[in-house]
């Protein structure tokens, strides 16, 4: 057994790949907020690939945590010399383990916000990237406008030490402007349509409230590339830690596991250059939107579509639901008949093959992805992934029955008393309104910050009530069958 530390890189266990570079010799070129499993299986992995070619030593990643839960990440990175193990699993069961060293430094902002700000202000920092989740952007889901609360609202007060991502970014950019240092690029890697545009809108709105001249400077001088990111990355579990220990001989307190499929489509729009990511599999393009909509409305929305119905049906894992023919048919019908009509042509992508490939990825037993993970922050995810499909289908007179069933299953799950607590910033409101459905049909839709004007749309409201009645009367599988979805499927071809 080898404890994961820099010293272990000299003689790693068999069948474990280690960096071909010295992580301690990297320079910080990227500061990343939100060093969770996805970042470590995706952006950091791509940088590791580049570093292993002998390039990019000026693009080391300094991770930053701002949330209380990030204190444990600080401790693990400190104990392991900023190293971690990435375990990649294919649907056929093949697995590979690699130690990643691209994150060569980690700062926990509550410990020393000044260190974070000075790292942002340093001329070597040329990109700041974000995976702060869909709920981390202080947006009103109904209006799409900046709506500060919590630490973001705190940071708008005069003279305070910033606590939030946007407060820290603004102060770092202010110092760069005042020192004559060109601004870094802000690169969102979150699942939000037009994530670069959204980040620009939020950061400039925040900065303008603090200092109108600074807000105008940020809006004019800072680049905000859009991106589409894709890799299924379940949460780290004790079972994963045991597997890494027993199979690969590495004692790692926070390994990460990801599927073998990975994709990153990135707009080529940077103020101070970027790593040569196109050399390691990243698609660098002029227009990300077609890829972005494809992923959000097919993959991400399908995760929501299977999760609540699957949990109500007694399933625990995504692969269990996607090995059930009724669920497979439902998902394929949602993707083909409701989501795909809202998409633009996607260069180089056969959408029919992509839809079937998604089912194969979801059904893989190699990735033990829990349905419970997929429903975290549902009130942030469904408005961004599913409801745009509903709005466009309503405008075009298209089908919405399957999307309505997803919302109805969300309501039914929230109303249940036999489930774990909802992990959602609006959990109490979701539960209260869902339980009112018994006496006030349609109560769940009365959340303007989630549904906006959809709650007043007669066609959507009727479809939702029909779907909820079906789930209540017949159960989740019965509701699927009532849609006429439990019919034989053609063999997927990818």
């Amino acid at each position: 057994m080898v404890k994961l530390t820099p010293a272990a890189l000299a003689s790693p266990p068999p069948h474990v790949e280690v960096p071909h570079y010295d992580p301690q010799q990297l320079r910080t070129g990227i500061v990343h907020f939100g060093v969770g499993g996805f970042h470590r299986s995706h952006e950091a992995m791509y940088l590791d690939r580049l570093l292993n070619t002998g390039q990019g030593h000026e693009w080391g990643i300094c991770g930053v945590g701002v949330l209380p839960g990030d204190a444990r990440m600080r401790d693990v990175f400190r104990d392991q010399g900023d190293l971690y193990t990435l375990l990649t699993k294919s649907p056929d069961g093949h697995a590979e383990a690699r130690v990643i060293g691209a994150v060569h430094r980690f700062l926990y902002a509550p410990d020393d916000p000044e260190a974070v700000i000075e790292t942002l202000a340093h001329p070597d920092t040329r990109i700041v990237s974000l995976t702060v989740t869909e709920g981390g952007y202080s947006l009103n889901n109904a209006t799409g406008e900046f709506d500060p609360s919590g630490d973001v609202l705190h940071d708008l007060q005069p003279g305070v030490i910033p606590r939030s991502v946007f407060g820290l970014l603004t102060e770092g950019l202010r110092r760069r402007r005042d020192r004559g240092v060109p601004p870094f690029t802000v690169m969102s890697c979150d699942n939000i349509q037009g994530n670069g545009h959204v980040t620009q809108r939020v950061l400039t709105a925040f900065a303008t409230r603090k200092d109108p001249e600074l807000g105008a400077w940020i809006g004019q001088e800072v680049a905000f590339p859009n991106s589409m990111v894709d890799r299924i990355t379940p949460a780290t579990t004790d079972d994963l830690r045991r597997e890494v220990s027993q199979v690969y001989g590495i004692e790692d307190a926070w390994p990460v596991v990801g599927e073998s499929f990975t994709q990153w489509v990135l707009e080529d729009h940077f103020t101070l250059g970027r790593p040569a990511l196109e050399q390691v599999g990243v698609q660098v393009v002029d227009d990300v939107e077609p890829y972005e909509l494809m992923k959000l409305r097919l993959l991400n929305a399908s995760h929501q579509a299977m999760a609540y119905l699957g949990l109500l049906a007694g399933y625990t894992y995504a692969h269990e639901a996607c090995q059930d023919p009724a669920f497979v048919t439902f998902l394929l019908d949602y993707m083909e008949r409701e989501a795909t009509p809202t998409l633009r042509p996607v260069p180089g992508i056969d959408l029919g093959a992509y839809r079937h490939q998604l089912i194969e990825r979801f059904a893989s037993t190699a990735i033990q992805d829990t349905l419970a993970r997929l429903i975290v922050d549902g009130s942030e995810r469904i408005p961004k992934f599913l409801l745009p499909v509903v709005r466009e289908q309503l405008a075009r007179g298209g089908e919405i029955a399957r999307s309505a069933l997803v919302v109805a299953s969300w309501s039914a799950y929230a109303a249940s008393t036999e489930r774990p607590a909802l992990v959602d910033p609006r959990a109490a409101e979701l539960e209260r309104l869902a339980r009112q459905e018994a006496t006030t049909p349609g109560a769940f839709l009365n959340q303007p910050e989630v549904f906006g004007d959809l709650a007043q749309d007669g066609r959507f409201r009727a479809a939702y009530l029909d779907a909820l009645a079906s789930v209540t009367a017949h159960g989740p599988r019965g509701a699927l069958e009532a849609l006429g979805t439990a019919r034989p499927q053609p063999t997927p071809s990818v």
Side-chain angles (χ1 to χ4, degrees):
M1 180 68 60
V2 175
K3 178 175 173 57
L4 186 56
T5 64
L9 301 182
S11 54
H15 313 301
V16 176
E17 293 292 327
V18 297
H20 298 160
Y21 55 92
D22 183 353
Q24 297 179 13
Q25 297 302 312
L26 300 179
R27 294 202 338 254
T28 295
I30 300 173
V31 173
H32 181 81
F33 286 88
V35 188
F38 180 77
H39 167 71
R40 294 187 296 139
S41 77
H42 196 265
E43 181 185 343
M45 178 276 299
Y46 279 107
L47 264 297
D48 180 77
R49 283 184 183 176
L50 183 64
L51 290 162
N52 278 315
T53 70
Q55 303 178 69
H57 284 68
E58 71 277 22
W59 293 108
I61 299 170
C62 173
V64 177
V66 300
L67 301 175
D70 294 327
R72 181 164 175 264
M73 181 69 72
R74 170 203 60 198
D75 297 342
V76 170
F77 269 118
R78 179 194 59 218
D79 293 345
Q80 298 184 175
D82 302 308
L83 301 172
Y84 64 93
T85 310
L86 171 61
L87 188 60
T88 299
K89 293 189 174 184
S90 302
D92 62 7
H94 176 72
E96 297 179 354
R98 171 177 289 281
V99 174
I100 304 291
V103 184
H104 75 118
R105 186 183 177 206
F106 185 86
L107 297 173
Y108 182 52
D111 286 344
D112 191 350
E114 180 64 20
V116 175
I117 294 166
E118 277 301 304
T119 302
L120 292 169
H122 196 285
D124 283 352
T125 297
R126 291 187 275 169
I127 295 173
V128 176
S129 53
L130 312 175
T131 46
V132 295
T133 77
E134 299 80 17
Y137 287 79
S138 296
L139 284 176
N140 183 298
N141 286 317
T143 65
E145 296 305 316
F146 180 53
D147 187 11
S149 61
D151 284 346
V152 177
L153 190 59
H154 163 273
D155 288 356
L156 286 170
Q157 305 309 308
V160 299
I161 297 173
R163 298 174 183 169
S164 70
V165 172
F166 291 103
L168 293 162
L169 284 175
T170 298
E171 179 58 20
L173 284 166
R174 184 191 66 77
R175 293 188 189 185
R176 292 176 80 105
R177 182 200 62 176
D178 293 351
R179 296 170 186 176
V181 178
F184 47 68
T185 293
V186 181
M187 180 177 72
S188 171
C189 297
D190 280 303
N191 289 314
I192 299 174
Q193 184 176 334
N195 52 16
H197 300 318
V198 168
T199 308
Q200 181 180 36
R201 185 161 71 249
V202 171
L203 185 57
T204 54
F206 178 94
T208 298
R209 292 197 187 187
K210 294 283 286 186
D211 177 347
E213 290 185 1
L214 178 61
W217 182 81
I218 290 172
Q220 292 169 5
E221 302 295 332
V222 178
F224 297 86
N226 290 301
S227 69
M228 181 272 262
V229 296
D230 189 3
R231 187 174 215 178
I232 295 173
T233 306
T236 297
T237 63
D238 287 339
D239 286 342
L240 175 62
R241 294 182 181 91
R242 280 190 291 271
E243 181 179 0
V244 169
S245 172
Q246 295 171 5
V247 176
Y248 296 97
I250 300 176
E251 182 184 335
D252 185 343
W254 212 323
V256 62
V257 62
E259 63 172 336
S260 54
F261 179 92
T262 182
Q263 187 177 22
W264 189 2
V265 184
L266 180 62
E267 181 184 7
D268 198 2
H269 179 45
F270 292 79
T271 51
L272 293 173
R274 60 170 176 78
L277 294 168
E278 69 277 10
Q279 296 184 19
V280 290
V282 178
Q283 296 168 259
V284 181
V285 301
D286 293 329
D287 184 9
V288 171
E289 186 179 38
Y291 302 92
E292 183 180 65
L293 293 179
M294 173 187 75
K295 195 255 181 170
L296 295 176
R297 297 183 181 186
L298 297 181
L299 186 152
N300 294 110
S302 290
H303 269 160
Q304 300 302 297
M306 78 173 79
Y308 296 99
L309 285 162
L311 288 166
L312 290 169
Y315 293 132
T316 300
Y317 295 100
H319 69 260
E320 294 173 333
C322 288
Q323 291 172 357
D324 182 329
F327 276 80
V328 170
T329 303
F330 170 70
L331 292 173
L332 285 172
D333 280 353
Y334 158 74
M335 287 191 281
E336 180 180 359
R337 298 168 65 171
E338 299 189 18
T340 298
T342 73
L343 304 180
R344 292 165 46 187
V346 187
I349 301 292
D350 178 332
L351 288 175
Y354 180 82
R355 292 190 294 264
H356 285 288
Q357 184 185 44
L358 286 180
I359 297 298
E360 292 182 355
R361 290 169 63 192
F362 296 155
S364 171
T365 57
I367 297 294
Q368 301 284 302
D369 201 12
T370 64
L371 297 174
R373 181 187 78 88
L374 302 182
I375 66 167
V376 170
D377 293 347
S379 68
E380 294 292 341
R381 295 181 175 190
I382 283 181
K384 295 177 177 70
F385 304 157
L386 183 79
L387 298 187
V389 171
V390 173
R391 293 179 192 281
E392 291 201 29
Q393 286 291 85
L394 287 170
R396 67 194 301 132
E399 297 183 38
I400 61 167
R402 292 157 195 83
S403 297
L405 180 56
V406 178
V407 177
S409 67
W410 182 24
S411 174
Y413 187 79
S416 172
T417 57
E418 299 178 359
R419 56 160 174 77
L422 285 178
V423 181
D424 193 291
R426 300 181 178 88
E429 183 73 354
L430 293 170
E431 292 167 351
R432 182 182 69 82
L433 292 172
R435 289 166 186 165
Q436 282 184 10
E437 287 286 351
T439 56
T440 310
F444 190 71
L445 302 182
N446 297 329
Q447 302 181 68
E449 71 281 7
V450 174
F451 293 101
D453 58 358
L454 280 178
Q456 283 72 52
D457 186 283
R459 187 174 164 220
F460 174 67
R461 197 175 187 88
Y464 162 79
L465 291 173
D466 286 348
L468 184 58
S470 185
V471 171
T472 302
H474 308 299
R477 290 192 94 264
L480 296 180
E481 291 164 1
L483 276 176
T485 57
R487 59 177 186 269
Q489 283 300 300
T491 301
S493 58
V494 178

